[in-house]
Amino acid sequence: PPPAMAFVETPLGTTPEEVLHEDAVEYAKWLGLDVDQEKELLWIAYQGFAAPLPKPWVVQEDPDGEPFYHNPKTLESIWDHPNDAATRALLEKERAALQASREKALARQRRREKRHLKCAALLLNPVLRGDHHQLPEA
């Protein structure tokens, strides 16, 4: 685990894995991931949540005890993890790929259903089969 997660104090009756899962789910929601509808993308939240700080970034606290990130080389300070933008970009890329994959699968399914309906129509409709001469006279 990254240094920040080397020791996790857990509430009584929970494991570090459960706490990690809860925190990763909260992070996923913060990223804009719908954890119920986009379970396939939850791995991105785990990856982003556990990402180590890139060098030379460090975590510091403001006077109220709120953590922030500081880059001593550039003197830049930010509230969000330096990798959050890259994690969000990955989420959007994977979300688009998942959507495209779902749309392709739906299109294949519709083509398959259309072929099945054509076959059924041919089998069930004597006029389309060319067997109309076998129909009884009306």
Side-chain angles (χ1 to χ4, degrees):
M5 297 184 59
F7 174 75
V8 177
E9 190 173 323
T10 62
L12 189 60
T14 60
T15 65
E17 291 80 15
E18 290 169 328
V19 171
L20 171 62
H21 175 73
E22 290 172 14
D23 289 342
V25 167
E26 286 304 311
Y27 180 66
K29 291 175 183 176
W30 181 83
L31 288 170
L33 192 137
D34 183 331
V35 295
D36 295 322
Q37 299 295 318
E38 301 177 303
K39 288 182 177 154
E40 305 95 328
L41 301 175
L42 195 54
W43 65 269
I44 297 168
Y46 275 93
Q47 179 178 301
F49 182 73
L53 275 175
K55 293 184 182 193
W57 289 92
V58 294
V59 178
Q60 295 187 342
E61 288 186 0
D62 72 5
D64 295 327
E66 291 295 318
F68 66 94
Y69 302 92
H70 179 71
N71 183 327
K73 281 191 177 177
T74 64
L75 301 180
E76 180 183 9
S77 293
I78 57 176
W79 292 107
D80 296 335
H81 192 287
N83 291 339
D84 284 346
T87 302
R88 264 205 187 94
L90 176 62
L91 173 60
E92 292 309 314
K93 177 184 168 204
E94 292 296 322
R95 183 180 275 151
L98 181 61
Q99 181 64 26
S101 174
R102 286 177 175 165
E103 288 171 4
K104 283 174 88 175
L106 184 60
R108 279 193 306 273
Q109 178 65 26
R110 287 184 178 152
R111 284 193 303 274
R112 201 173 6 238
E113 288 171 358
K114 191 174 179 180
R115 282 194 308 270
H116 290 170
L117 286 174
K118 277 184 179 180
C119 289
L122 285 172
L123 290 171
L124 298 174
N125 189 333
V127 174
L128 291 176
R129 280 197 326 255
D131 294 342
H132 60 279
H133 61 281
Q134 296 175 2
L135 292 174
E137 294 289 324

